[in-house]
Amino acid sequence: MVVALFSTVRSNASFAHRSFSHASRFTLTMDVRIQQSVVANLSNRPAPVEVGPFVIGMDPTTASPHINYATPHPGAVITAADVSDLVAAFRAADRKPRLEYVISCASGLEALLVAAGFIVEARHTYLVCVPGALTTPPTLDHLKLHEPGTDAERAALISAQNEAFGGDPVASSADVARLRRQQEAGGVIVMAVTDDGTCAGGGGAAPPTGAVSEVAGIAVRAPYRRRGLAGAITAEITRRLFTKGAEITWLEASSEDSWRIYERVGYRPAGERLYVGLG
C-alpha cells in the first residue's frame, strides 16, 4: 500500500490547482487518519468547543483565526443547521468563523459553507512521510539543530518564524507559553542556531495522536536561505517524531520551492485540504 502512495506522479498543472486521485483505499484511509489528527489537535486546545459534528480549537490567549478554527469529525453527517450552530458558537466566542479540513472526509460540506456565506481561502495538497521514506540531508556548517530548552530560546525561535513569515518579530509571552505547552505535551520543536547564537529559523510539530503528527511553521530567516536549512529542519523534526513513535507525519507546502524541499527529504502528495472562512 505504501508503495502505491509513493508512486504518485506529480501533475503538470499549476501548483495551486493540482488534484490527486482518492480512488485507492489507502489514500482514503490516509485522509481519514489526517483528519482525525486535526480533530485531536483542536480538541487539545486550551478551550475546545464541540458543536454538533464540529470541534472548534479555541485558545483564549489569541484571536488568531489560524489557531482558533473548526474542523468536522470525519464522515459525520452535516446539515445547514449544523453550520448555523457553528457560526453562532464562533460569534459567541468573538472569533472569526473558520474551518480547515480534509475535503474527502466531509462530502458536501463546502457547498453548505458557501451557501452560508463562507469564502474559500485556499485549497492545499498535503504531503506525508513514513519512516522508510525519510532522507536526512548533509550536516550544515556553522549551524546546529536542537530543541529550545529555555523561554529565551523559544522567544528567539518565534521571532525568527515571525520575521520569516513577514509578521511582527516580537514574541509575546503568550506565544512563548503556547510553544512551551506544545513541548510539554509531547510535541517536537527544532531551532537552527549559528555559531554566534543567532536563531536562523526552525519549526515544530504537534504531539503525535493516533501515531500521526503535523509538521508546521518551517521558517528560515532571509540571510540563511538557499543553504538547505529548511530541508534540514524538516527532516530533523520528522526524525524526532518517528523516534517518538509516529507512523505518519504530514505537512503542507505554500509554494513550489517549499514543495521541492519537502519532496527531497521524503514527503509525497497524499490528499487535499480546504481552508474556508466567514467575514
Side-chain angles (χ1 to χ4, degrees):
M1 293 293 193
V2 174
V3 173
L5 172 67
F6 282 83
S7 64
T8 301
V9 177
R10 288 180 61 182
S11 167
N12 290 324
S14 68
F15 177 84
H17 295 91
R18 287 194 184 96
S19 63
F20 297 90
S21 172
H22 291 249
S24 71
R25 187 177 67 176
F26 179 84
T27 304
L28 287 172
T29 301
M30 181 65 74
D31 279 352
V32 171
R33 293 190 71 177
I34 298 304
Q35 182 60 22
Q36 287 173 335
S37 76
V38 176
V39 170
N41 288 340
L42 294 185
S43 298
N44 287 329
R45 291 278 198 269
V49 178
E50 289 279 348
V51 184
F54 303 101
V55 59
I56 308 175
M58 292 287 189
D59 186 337
T61 67
T62 177
S64 170
H66 302 293
I67 294 176
N68 297 273
Y69 62 89
T71 204
H73 289 274
V77 176
I78 303 173
T79 67
D82 292 324
V83 173
S84 295
D85 291 343
L86 179 66
V87 172
F90 270 107
R91 299 300 192 204
D94 195 24
R95 295 291 186 270
K96 174 182 177 177
R98 188 173 178 277
L99 297 90
E100 297 180 13
Y101 65 96
V102 177
I103 296 173
S104 74
C105 291
S107 177
L109 176 55
E110 181 179 349
L112 291 173
L113 293 171
V114 170
F118 282 78
I119 303 298
V120 172
E121 298 173 350
R123 300 177 193 276
H124 287 170
T125 296
Y126 72 81
L127 297 88
V128 302
C129 186
V130 295
L134 179 62
T135 299
T136 302
T139 302
L140 299 173
D141 293 335
H142 308 295
L143 285 163
K144 181 176 67 174
L145 302 178
H146 70 92
E147 286 212 53
T150 66
D151 281 353
E153 288 185 322
R154 295 182 185 101
L157 170 55
I158 294 167
S159 294
Q161 289 175 307
N162 290 350
E163 178 184 322
F165 291 131
D168 183 351
V170 177
S172 70
S173 58
D175 292 335
V176 172
R178 191 177 304 113
L179 194 65
R180 189 190 323 116
R181 287 197 303 270
Q182 185 174 337
Q183 287 179 284
E184 292 170 348
V188 171
I189 307 297
V190 168
M191 63 189 301
V193 181
T194 65
D195 289 342
D196 66 2
T198 301
C199 181
T209 55
V212 179
S213 181
E214 178 188 7
V215 176
I218 303 299
V220 176
R221 295 175 58 215
Y224 304 96
R225 292 173 186 168
R226 305 294 179 183
R227 303 183 188 183
L229 183 53
I233 292 169
T234 303
E236 178 62 12
I237 294 169
T238 305
R239 183 192 68 79
R240 290 177 182 238
L241 287 169
F242 291 151
T243 299
K244 285 177 171 282
E247 299 172 358
I248 299 165
T249 59
W250 68 279
L251 48 69
E252 294 178 352
S254 59
S255 67
E256 286 282 0
D257 285 345
S258 58
W259 184 288
R260 286 190 289 268
I261 288 168
Y262 300 144
E263 283 195 321
R264 280 197 292 268
V265 299
Y267 281 82
R268 297 294 182 268
E272 293 186 339
R273 295 201 336 128
L274 185 70
Y275 290 61
V276 60
L278 181 66

